[in-house]
Amino acid sequence: MGHYVPSKVVTNDDLAQMFDTSDEWIRQRTGIQERRFIEEDGIGASDLAVPAVKMACKNAGIEVSDIDAIIFATLSPDYTFPGSGVLVGDKLGLPGVPALDIRNQCSGFLYGLQVADAWVRCGMYKRVALIGGEVHSTGLDFSNEGRDVAVLFGDGAACAIIGPSEDDARGVIDVKVHADGSGAKLLWIEAPASNRMPRITHEMIDERRVYPQMNGKQVFRWATSKMPEVSLEVLGRNGLTAADIDLMVPHQANARINEFVAGKLGIPPEKVMQNIHKYGNTTAASIPLALSEAIQEGRARKGDLILFAAFGSGFTWGAGLVRL
Ligand code: UT7
């Protein structure tokens, strides 16, 4: 595992200088105290991914040149096209290495993990760089209208190197993902859109339809129902229970969601990794960023059974089990 966050720390008080909010409101509702934003113009998701991949390779004991496939999960690609996977491959000096972009928002890492696991199991690739990377700060509405969403998100990237295990007991045990597009417009960005002629207008910009929109209450309700449900699904079909889990590493959307989900599963708070207070919601980067830090801090060790769970825009959701 490896991760990277930009150096610019933005506190809740900093946001309160920009629109009507307060440190107290943000902490109480979400657990977030600060987040990281890119330092300057010109830094994209692929740029944040480069140091994360290098750190992951170092920790995996491989060279960057050993990577034979890239999966890049992001909802904030550097450009509409091409994807950030090809950009990071170029920046890492990996010409010819295939790169797949995954657009599954907060569940992107788990969708990517399922693909990487299948590739490695069938012998297609041996060293997959599975990246989650996001630059949210350039696309948030820092006005009173956008304050419910703007306080939540931060920039960051993380990477897992997925390869064959020499020990049958270790590795990816299972990943289960789901989607329900009936919730698509409950957390989305409306424009630019290929179904509009033209895709973008001055009116769309003036009406702030180029910024993320969320029905927070609905998303909260769905997340606290689907994350425990899919966690039990993946535990059950592997003959495991929540009591077997050494550490739960949930998506970091809201500390209250994670407390609620862990409570429903009967997992005590000390077995739940939370770093949302430092980084906010980094969507596709949040699970690998939390796991990377958990390993760095000695909270996740070799042999530990880890449970992942995520819910996000789409709606998409999923859970995964890994023996480190
Ligand atoms: O990773 C993607 C998935 N996203 C999520 O999982 C997010 C899920 N949703 C949530 O976490 C919560 O819904 C929020 C934290 C986003 C909001 O919490 P809430 O308890 O649902 O608040 P609310 O939207 O019902 O707003 C309560 C009040 C409103 O004022 P009134 O109408 O009661 O006077 C809002 O206008 O808080 C107001 N408000 C704010 N006040 C200060 C909304 N945003 C802010 C803000 N600062 N940033």
Side-chain angles (χ1 to χ4, degrees):
M1 299 298 305
H3 66 272
Y4 175 79
V5 288
S7 60
K8 185 175 166 188
V9 177
V10 178
T11 65
N12 294 341
D13 287 331
D14 292 334
L15 295 181
Q17 306 282 320
M18 300 160 82
F19 49 85
D20 293 342
T21 191
S22 67
D23 179 50
E24 192 194 0
W25 191 97
I26 301 169
R27 271 181 206 244
Q28 274 181 6
R29 305 263 173 159
T30 70
I32 299 167
Q33 297 173 18
E34 57 189 41
R35 73 286 293 140
R36 302 296 181 95
F37 284 178
I38 55 164
E39 299 85 356
E40 59 193 25
D41 185 26
I43 300 173
S46 68
D47 298 298
L48 301 187
V50 170
V53 175
K54 287 183 177 166
M55 178 179 166
C57 287
K58 194 161 175 256
N59 287 336
I62 67 164
E63 299 296 325
V64 168
S65 56
D66 294 329
I67 293 169
D68 58 0
I70 295 165
I71 299 178
F72 203 120
T74 184
L75 68 71
S76 55
D78 302 52
Y79 307 110
T80 304
F81 75 87
S84 293
V86 300
L87 302 179
V88 77
D90 183 48
K91 286 167 187 169
L92 290 166
L94 295 171
V97 170
L100 171 71
D101 268 47
I102 292 210
R103 298 286 303 276
N104 288 84
Q105 301 69 250
C106 304
S107 314
F109 182 78
L110 294 183
Y111 271 78
L113 185 61
Q114 193 179 60
V115 172
D117 180 46
W119 278 354
V120 170
R121 274 180 202 278
C122 75
M124 184 88 72
Y125 301 111
K126 274 207 160 67
R127 296 281 177 259
V128 182
L130 170 58
I131 303 161
E134 306 281 4
V135 173
H136 284 297
S137 56
T138 50
L140 296 170
D141 179 2
F142 296 110
S143 76
N144 282 346
E145 287 106 297
R147 65 180 181 169
D148 57 328
V149 174
V151 297
L152 302 177
F153 292 98
D155 303 340
C159 175
I161 303 295
I162 312 293
S165 170
E166 279 138 35
D167 177 350
D168 277 352
R170 295 179 62 209
V172 180
I173 296 170
D174 199 3
V175 183
K176 181 80 184 129
V177 288
H178 293 279
D180 182 343
S182 67
K185 295 183 180 178
L186 295 173
L187 178 50
W188 72 323
I189 296 183
E190 191 184 343
S194 66
N195 67 359
R196 301 304 307 274
M197 284 195 278
R199 290 183 180 186
I200 184 109
T201 61
H202 289 289
E203 193 190 8
M204 288 173 186
I205 296 170
D206 292 343
E207 291 173 358
R208 319 188 88 81
R209 282 146 62 196
V210 292
Y211 294 117
Q213 310 287 331
M214 176 175 71
N215 181 325
K217 287 218 184 304
Q218 288 271 24
V219 175
F220 196 98
R221 215 169 287 141
W222 273 74
T224 49
S225 150
K226 292 299 178 190
M227 286 169 71
E229 188 181 287
V230 69
S231 298
L232 291 174
E233 192 183 356
V234 83
L235 284 166
R237 74 182 193 178
N238 290 281
L240 296 163
T241 71
D244 297 311
I245 298 302
D246 295 301
L247 189 70
M248 182 174 187
V249 181
H251 169 49
Q252 310 283 309
N254 184 325
R256 281 168 51 221
I257 292 180
N258 290 344
E259 284 156 19
F260 198 91
V261 170
K264 257 188 168 174
L265 292 169
I267 297 177
E270 63 274 16
K271 284 192 174 183
V272 181
M273 180 65 193
Q274 299 245 48
N275 61 3
I276 188 170
H277 57 287
K278 294 192 287 184
Y279 304 127
N281 182 350
T282 57
T283 47
S286 89
I287 288 180
L289 176 54
L291 179 61
S292 187
E293 281 209 340
I295 293 170
Q296 210 172 38
E297 291 166 11
R299 287 192 65 187
R301 293 180 210 89
K302 189 175 170 182
D304 280 356
L305 184 64
I306 310 291
L307 170 67
F308 302 127
F311 182 88
S313 159
F315 292 134
T316 59
W317 64 98
L321 283 169
V322 167
R323 176 78 66 186
L324 282 187

